[in-house]
Amino acid sequence: MAERNGQLKSVVIRSFRRFSERCFPEKAARSSMLDKEQEEASHLGYLDSFPVDVQFLIMTFLSPVDICNLGATCRYWRAMVRDPLLWKFFLLRDMPHWSSIDHLTMPDLELLDAPLVSERESLDDRKEEEEKNRELKCDYMSEYLKGCPSCRQQWLPSRPAYELLTSFLQYLVPSSEPRYAMFGPGMEQLDVSLVTRLMHAPDLLPVSGTPHRQINGIGSGISYLFNNQHKFNILTLYSTNKAEREKARLQQQSISNKLFIFEGTDDAGYPVYTPAPQVQKVCQEVDGFIYVANAEPGKGDGASEAAQIRAVLNFVGDSTAKPLLVLSCVSREPEEASEGAKCRTPCVYVAKRLGLPQLSNRWMVQDTVAESLTGVLDGIAWLLKSSGVKI
């Protein structure tokens, strides 16, 4: 990824340089002008006098909002900022550092592999109509602004007035305690148990006991208190018993998942699963799902994981009514000495691995650390809001 981004960086600089030399020849000649009065008469600003590689370097330190504001200053910067190559560079550079992504803000990763204009082609070599068609096909700027955590709030759809009224009325009526089923390999494969940390973190999520209502043959799970006022229940579903899980974890072996029944493969060769009878009961009773994915590098079986998530959601009649929170989990925070190394799978690629963009229901992927529980509250807040809880 770093090598690819480095190559794209040089392509962006070459594209900027060709555009500047073609459309603004006076800028290229400005450094050789000795007459101070002529320099002051030039319409180019101080920033425009820098070489294009310095201009690009400056833009890499700006926020997305600042870059857009820069594009509103003049025709030169408008063309520079609109260059799709620039925003493709930002996507490749910043996506691995985004801490969350959801069904509304997931960028189209296929665009990153789409062919752009020829590297020999300047920004203005095409006709206006061709430029518009190309931007509609490869709108990296929109994809970036849609997914960037600092910008995505602007893309959230506003609720109509009748929905605001409904939410207010729901707030007045006491609602039942939401229940969520939590499952996934991240609960069992990591060195630090996320479930154990949740149970022993009263300063983060106080345990408020278990409700009286139960699922036949399953149990009632554990109730937590969010923001000291919103109760919710988590029912943990393990693939096998504790002794088998511990043995498999120490020996780095896979175990038979007793939550699902393997039915074979489909026409495309992907596995097909059916939830076990006890899991089917859970699917009918809960209000949503929490999938704990193992985000440590090299971990995860994308095809099986995606098939099991689909099996759970497809068993529910109206799967769109039950949100899915994916906790993209690692055991511990990365050490300072290894920050440059790859310490986790980025959340956007976890979403792709699990096939989440193909789902019709609401989903969110949140980076999480089991030891410190970093990211858990952000994920729970989204899940409660998706279940109709006013936070």
Side-chain angles (χ1 to χ4, degrees):
M1 177 67 74
E3 180 181 357
R4 182 185 180 189
N5 217 17
Q7 294 174 351
L8 185 57
K9 176 180 177 180
S10 51
V11 171
V12 174
I13 293 176
R14 287 200 301 270
S15 177
F16 280 0
R17 183 175 293 114
R18 286 191 299 269
F19 170 74
S20 178
E21 292 174 352
R22 175 170 182 147
C23 289
F24 296 89
E26 70 275 18
K27 177 183 178 299
R30 186 175 183 182
S31 59
S32 62
M33 293 172 60
L34 301 178
D35 190 341
K36 186 176 181 180
E37 293 183 358
Q38 288 181 315
E39 183 174 348
E40 292 177 350
S42 175
H43 70 278
L44 295 171
Y46 180 71
L47 182 61
D48 304 312
S49 64
F50 291 144
V52 291
D53 52 343
V54 177
Q55 294 174 351
F56 172 75
L57 179 63
I58 291 174
M59 283 193 283
T60 61
F61 289 99
L62 298 179
S63 69
V65 175
D66 290 336
I67 293 177
C68 293
N69 290 336
L70 179 62
T73 57
C74 65
R75 184 168 63 92
Y76 173 80
W77 284 109
R78 177 176 178 270
M80 289 291 202
V81 168
R82 290 177 62 201
D83 184 7
L85 285 169
L86 175 68
W87 292 96
K88 183 175 183 179
F89 169 83
F90 287 146
L91 268 174
L92 290 173
R93 183 195 67 176
D94 296 342
M95 272 198 319
H97 305 289
W98 292 348
S99 61
S100 65
I101 206 74
D102 60 30
H103 62 289
L104 294 175
T105 60
M106 177 72 178
D108 186 356
L109 298 184
E110 294 183 357
L111 280 181
L112 296 179
D113 299 322
L116 277 170
V117 296
S118 170
E119 294 182 11
R120 298 179 179 179
E121 193 173 2
S122 176
L123 290 177
D124 66 322
D125 283 344
R126 297 157 305 276
K127 296 180 181 179
E128 183 177 357
E129 190 63 30
E130 293 176 350
E131 175 74 14
K132 290 181 179 179
N133 293 336
R134 180 176 60 82
E135 289 185 355
L136 290 174
K137 185 178 180 181
C138 302
D139 194 354
Y140 296 102
M141 182 178 181
S142 295
E143 292 297 314
Y144 184 95
L145 297 178
K146 179 177 68 174
C148 178
S150 62
C151 304
R152 66 175 58 160
Q153 189 66 30
Q154 305 175 31
W155 290 78
L156 296 178
S158 58
R159 292 184 298 171
Y162 73 89
E163 286 193 9
L164 294 174
L165 178 60
T166 302
S167 299
F168 176 72
L169 295 177
Q170 290 175 346
Y171 179 74
L172 297 178
V173 179
S175 59
S176 59
E177 179 179 321
R179 309 189 71 184
Y180 305 107
M182 183 162 71
F183 66 105
M187 290 170 47
E188 309 172 14
Q189 298 175 356
L190 299 177
D191 295 335
V192 179
S193 171
L194 177 65
V195 176
T196 302
R197 289 290 298 121
L198 284 173
M199 294 175 60
H200 296 87
D203 55 327
L204 190 71
L205 277 176
V207 175
S208 61
T210 58
H212 295 292
R213 57 193 180 94
Q214 296 187 359
I215 300 175
N216 294 333
I218 300 298
S220 58
I222 301 175
S223 289
Y224 298 90
L225 197 61
F226 181 81
N227 284 350
N228 292 320
Q229 56 179 329
H230 303 295
K231 271 191 177 185
F232 66 96
N233 181 267
I234 294 180
L235 178 64
T236 54
L237 304 177
Y238 289 103
S239 62
T240 185
N241 61 57
K242 183 176 181 180
E244 292 174 327
R245 294 196 305 271
E246 186 64 20
K247 180 180 178 180
R249 186 183 65 82
L250 293 175
Q251 298 179 357
Q252 297 294 314
Q253 296 177 348
S254 60
I255 55 178
S256 177
N257 194 327
K258 298 180 181 179
L259 297 177
F260 300 93
I261 302 171
F262 180 65
E263 300 290 351
T265 57
D266 58 16
D267 296 337
Y270 294 106
V272 178
Y273 293 92
T274 299
Q278 68 272 21
V279 180
Q280 295 178 10
K281 296 178 183 178
V282 172
C283 293
Q284 294 172 342
E285 295 291 337
V286 297
D287 302 291
F289 301 94
I290 303 174
Y291 186 83
V292 185
N294 188 344
E296 294 184 341
K299 302 296 183 179
D301 182 359
S304 296
E305 290 183 274
Q308 291 169 5
I309 290 175
R310 287 195 304 270
V312 167
L313 296 178
N314 291 340
F315 186 82
V316 183
D318 184 12
S319 62
T320 58
K322 298 190 176 184
L324 170 67
L325 170 65
V326 176
L327 297 179
S328 180
C329 198
V330 295
S331 297
R332 298 174 180 85
E333 298 279 3
E335 299 179 0
E336 292 185 4
S338 61
E339 280 186 356
K342 185 178 180 182
C343 59
R344 67 153 59 242
T345 303
C347 62
V348 290
Y349 294 111
V350 169
K352 181 181 179 180
R353 184 182 82 194
L354 300 179
L356 301 184
Q358 286 73 49
L359 299 178
S360 58
N361 66 314
R362 295 161 292 168
W363 58 265
M364 177 186 181
V365 181
Q366 173 66 53
D367 282 352
T368 307
V369 179
E371 187 175 57
S372 62
L373 297 181
T374 301
V376 168
L377 290 184
D378 292 333
I380 294 299
W382 176 89
L383 192 59
L384 292 174
K385 291 178 182 177
S386 299
S387 300
V389 178
K390 186 175 180 62
I391 298 178

